[in-house]
Amino acid sequence: MNWKYRANATLEGLTGYTLTRKLHKEPPKPPPPPPLELQRLPGDTVRPPVDPAHDRLLREPVFLLSSVRSGSTLLRVMLNSHSRVHSPIETHFRRITVGLGTDPVRQAMEALGHHHSDIEHIVWDRMLHRELTRSGKPILVEKTPSNVFVWRRIATCWPDARFIFLLRHPASIVQSWHEADPEKRPMEEAVPRTLSYMTYLEEARTHLDGLTMRYEQLVAEPEAELRRLCLFLGVEWEPGMLTYGNKEHGAFVKGIGDWRDKIRSGTVVAGRPLPAPDEVPEPLHEICRKWEYLSPGLNQSAQ
């Protein structure tokens, strides 16, 4: 019996405890770096085109900024029915990134003076320009609701961009978002999910010049509203914008635009009655005030 065993036996008899060696734990290893193609170039910043004449093909692109469930697909197909305006499906172009997977290509891009964001902007511009040129029309109007979250980057990428802001009663947005997929979009999630879009839209509307439109006015007086929009775009009004169902606009598919029966009807359908002020959830009160939807006069005229 060695001395360690005897000492432990004595200690256990007296105290009930034994001595054990504390195991030395290795410190956790840091996670490995991401693959090179997922790493941004050092010093990457979002900035305007360094050489606008060569870095951008699009001239004065138009971006329709809105929350989800605001009637942006309806306005898109009306615009796309114009002989001079191309408004494609939601392209989600802001999600397009570039991977620089070797040291030589990264070295080359830096030597050419490109930030990582610069290269992405060139790809974005080229992709949207291809869409426009294939249409044979001179004016692009892109609408992807999530663009509201990157309005600053869009305005930086295209300094000559123009903007349309489409508003809708916030409570109607919430209800429509829920109804589009009731099982996967419960009402308790509807307010915070849609309010984030509205908040960024209002931020963009505050900082950018552009034309503000309301969904309620668009469906109540479509010709008058489209005439106003055509004036903003610098094109003549065309009656065919009202009968968008006679033209091809791409598939109405979930994920890249509205897909429900109302938009498939091919005609402008009246909007739902607006809620009374006391029916609006409290978290929406501030945005309702900013958008002037708590005015009784507006509620009555929009119905």
Side-chain angles (χ1 to χ4, degrees):
M1 181 181 297
N2 63 39
W3 69 270
K4 291 181 180 179
Y5 182 86
R6 289 196 303 270
N8 249 341
T10 302
L11 181 64
E12 184 176 13
L14 294 173
T15 67
Y17 294 98
T18 60
L19 295 174
T20 58
R21 174 185 289 182
K22 183 179 180 180
L23 297 178
H24 177 68
K25 291 185 177 181
E26 293 289 334
K29 295 182 179 179
L36 197 59
E37 61 266 21
L38 298 181
Q39 298 179 31
R40 310 292 286 186
L41 288 172
D44 180 40
T45 58
V46 174
R47 59 181 178 174
V50 177
D51 184 353
H54 297 95
D55 291 352
R56 298 294 179 271
L57 297 175
L58 282 176
R59 296 292 179 256
E60 297 186 340
V62 183
F63 295 92
L64 170 56
L65 299 183
S66 73
S67 168
V68 291
R69 309 309 306 171
S70 292
S72 59
T73 298
L74 173 63
L75 186 52
R76 173 186 86 78
V77 294
M78 287 173 157
L79 284 165
N80 196 52
S81 298
H82 195 285
S83 63
R84 294 179 56 79
V85 179
H86 178 53
S87 191
I89 59 171
E90 295 173 10
T91 64
H92 297 270
F93 68 87
R94 77 180 186 93
R95 301 292 189 183
I96 300 174
T97 60
V98 295
L100 306 177
T102 66
D103 287 323
V105 72
R106 297 169 72 85
Q107 181 182 0
M109 292 302 101
E110 291 189 85
L112 292 173
H114 294 306
H115 291 183
H116 214 115
S117 298
D118 297 336
I119 306 167
E120 288 172 343
H121 290 174
I122 291 171
V123 174
W124 294 359
D125 181 78
R126 178 65 181 88
M127 191 275 292
L128 292 182
H129 182 262
R130 179 181 184 273
E131 255 315 296
L132 180 62
T133 54
R134 291 179 72 225
S135 74
K137 299 179 180 182
I139 299 173
L140 175 81
V141 179
E142 206 283 344
K143 85 96 183 170
T144 301
S146 63
N147 283 347
V148 296
F149 299 118
V150 292
W151 65 265
R152 284 188 176 87
R153 186 167 180 184
I154 290 173
T156 302
C157 178
W158 291 280
D160 60 348
R162 294 180 287 173
F163 296 92
I164 303 165
F165 310 107
L166 180 61
L167 310 184
R168 187 183 186 184
H169 194 298
S172 297
I173 291 174
V174 167
Q175 187 66 30
S176 181
W177 186 84
H178 164 68
E179 291 174 355
D181 198 338
E183 291 188 4
K184 295 182 179 180
R185 300 178 176 185
M187 278 299 292
E188 58 267 25
E189 294 182 15
V191 170
R193 288 290 298 274
T194 58
L195 183 56
S196 62
Y197 284 86
M198 298 180 235
T199 301
Y200 276 90
L201 173 57
E202 177 60 16
E203 188 180 73
R205 200 168 73 100
T206 301
H207 289 84
L208 300 174
D209 293 329
L211 177 71
T212 295
M213 302 183 69
R214 295 180 186 272
Y215 169 77
E216 294 83 5
Q217 293 301 118
L218 178 64
V219 296
E221 301 176 348
E223 180 175 339
E225 287 300 290
L226 290 175
R227 283 183 179 273
R228 190 165 67 93
L229 179 53
C230 286
L231 185 64
F232 172 74
L233 296 176
V235 297
E236 295 290 331
W237 148 256
E238 293 181 359
M241 298 174 76
L242 295 176
T243 54
Y244 69 85
N246 297 333
K247 299 179 177 64
E248 173 60 35
H249 303 289
F252 295 117
V253 179
K254 186 176 182 180
I256 53 176
D258 196 353
W259 71 98
R260 298 195 299 171
D261 291 340
K262 185 181 289 188
I263 192 66
R264 294 175 184 275
S265 69
T267 58
V268 180
V269 179
R272 71 178 73 212
L274 299 187
D278 60 0
E279 297 175 332
V280 177
E282 193 279 332
L284 300 178
H285 285 185
E286 182 179 358
I287 196 69
C288 281
R289 283 192 293 271
K290 289 182 177 180
W291 290 359
E292 300 179 347
Y293 274 108
L294 291 183
S295 164
L298 180 58
N299 279 352
Q300 293 168 5
S301 65
Q303 288 183 28

